[in-house]
DNA sequence: ATTAATGCAAAATCTTTGCACTTTC
DNA sequence: GAAAGTGCAAAGATTTTGCATTAAT
């Protein structure tokens, strides 16, 4: 965990640059999301976490905030099958390990990444992004 | 479209081999799904299609059937972000093109596939499968 | 006959929305 | 004070479930 004041300032700047007003709720949630390192959360998870930290935010606001952050490019939605929507704090191009036995998701380190190169793309289309999800199960 | 009788027999065999009783609803739905070629459907879509073909199936049964087929290995769930669950009639290892502007999903031909090789896998884990989704947007 | 599948409606989930109130600029 | 954000509860959307009825073995 980084120094509190530095982080708070950095986060406020981040929101302003994204054109989002730095309200208390957004600062609180961004504080949890961007404190340090990668994070993969659902709205439910983040709401529970905020509660544990005695932050006052409604679940609807958590949903709205995650969607706004994603629209602003601060977060990225991750496609995992199933009903819940995951958001990833790492927005640069990267890949994921998905632990099927417990539903955990982690980023691959850049040096672990799989190289992908598309040969042919349908007429009139171009590649926007390539999602790679490596599904893991316990060995043996 | 293949010959009707041949297809019907093939499908009935398919269900039996999967340990599923060949009921009218399952035969109807399997008939739509496995008539020929790849298909990517949601429960909603398949239910609507069944209706158009004057087949009588409830939406709940479509859901149940898709889940049973997937559990039996006849279909594969595809992870696309968003709320709806897609099922794919191609169950072998393969990759997808996803057209972001209209939500269409198609399989890559084997010769278009991207080679992926994972270097390091977390301790005690092994790769079950690698999902590759190539996101396309209109050119320019 | 026995066992499994279906249909319906009801419930359970997850997510978005409408609107009065509050906060930020 | 104007514009934007929040909270709550209500509505939406998707999916699952309980149970009586029907169909398959």
């Amino acid at each position: 965990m980084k120094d509190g004041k530095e982080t708070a300032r950095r986060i406020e700047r981040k929101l302003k640059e994204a054109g989002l007003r730095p309200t208390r709720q957004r600062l609180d949630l961004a504080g949890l999301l961007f404190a340090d390192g990668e994070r993969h959360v659902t709205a439910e998870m983040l709401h529970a976490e905020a509660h544990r930290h005695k932050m006052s935010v409604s679940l609807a606001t958590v949903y709205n905030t995650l969607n706004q952050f994603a629209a602003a490019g601060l977060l990225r939605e991750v496609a995992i099958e199933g009903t819940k929507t995951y958001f990833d704090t790492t927005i640069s191009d990267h890949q994921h390990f998905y632990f099927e036995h417990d539903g955990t998701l982690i980023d691959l380190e850049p040096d672990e990444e799989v190289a992908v190169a598309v040969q042919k793309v349908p007429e009139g289309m171009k590649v926007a992004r390539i999602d790679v999800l490596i599904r893991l199960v316990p060995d043996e």
Side-chain angles (χ1 to χ4, degrees), chain A residues 19 51 76:
Chain A
H51 262 239
R76 197 160 110 176

Side-chain angles (χ1 to χ4, degrees), chain A residues 7-31 65 68-69 74:
Chain A
T7 301
R9 242 182 284 120
R10 174 172 60 86
I11 286 175
E12 183 158 354
R13 205 179 322 120
K14 196 173 177 125
L15 291 186
K16 282 190 174 156
E17 278 164 13
L20 296 169
R21 286 188 182 176
T23 63
R24 179 179 57 69
Q25 290 84 343
R26 285 178 182 164
L27 289 169
D28 281 353
L29 295 177
T65 302
Q68 289 154 358
F69 282 10
L74 266 39

Side-chain angles (χ1 to χ4, degrees), chain A residues 71-128:
Chain A
L74 266 39
L75 292 175
R76 197 160 110 176
E77 207 172 318
V78 185
I80 303 287
E81 88 266 289
T83 57
K84 293 204 178 175
T85 305
Y86 276 81
F87 290 90
D88 186 345
T89 56
T90 310
I91 54 174
S92 60
D93 237 333
H94 68 287
Q95 303 171 356
H96 292 114
F97 276 131
Y98 180 62
F99 296 84
E100 299 208 318
H101 66 292
D102 68 356
T104 313
L105 191 68
I106 62 172
D107 292 348
L108 265 77
E109 295 304 315
D111 71 319
E112 294 173 326
E113 299 235 334
V114 161
V116 290
V118 187
Q119 313 297 315
K120 305 183 211 168
V121 168
E123 271 294 306
M125 294 284 141
K126 67 178 181 193
V127 175

Side-chain angles (χ1 to χ4, degrees), chain A residues 41-68:
Chain A
V41 301
T42 63
E44 231 18 285
M45 287 165 56
L46 186 58
H47 185 238
E49 190 177 348
H51 262 239
R52 284 195 297 277
H53 287 258
K54 312 285 183 222
M55 295 167 174
S56 165
V57 208
S58 72
L59 180 58
T61 296
V62 174
Y63 271 105
N64 290 337
T65 302
L66 286 173
N67 285 330
Q68 289 154 358

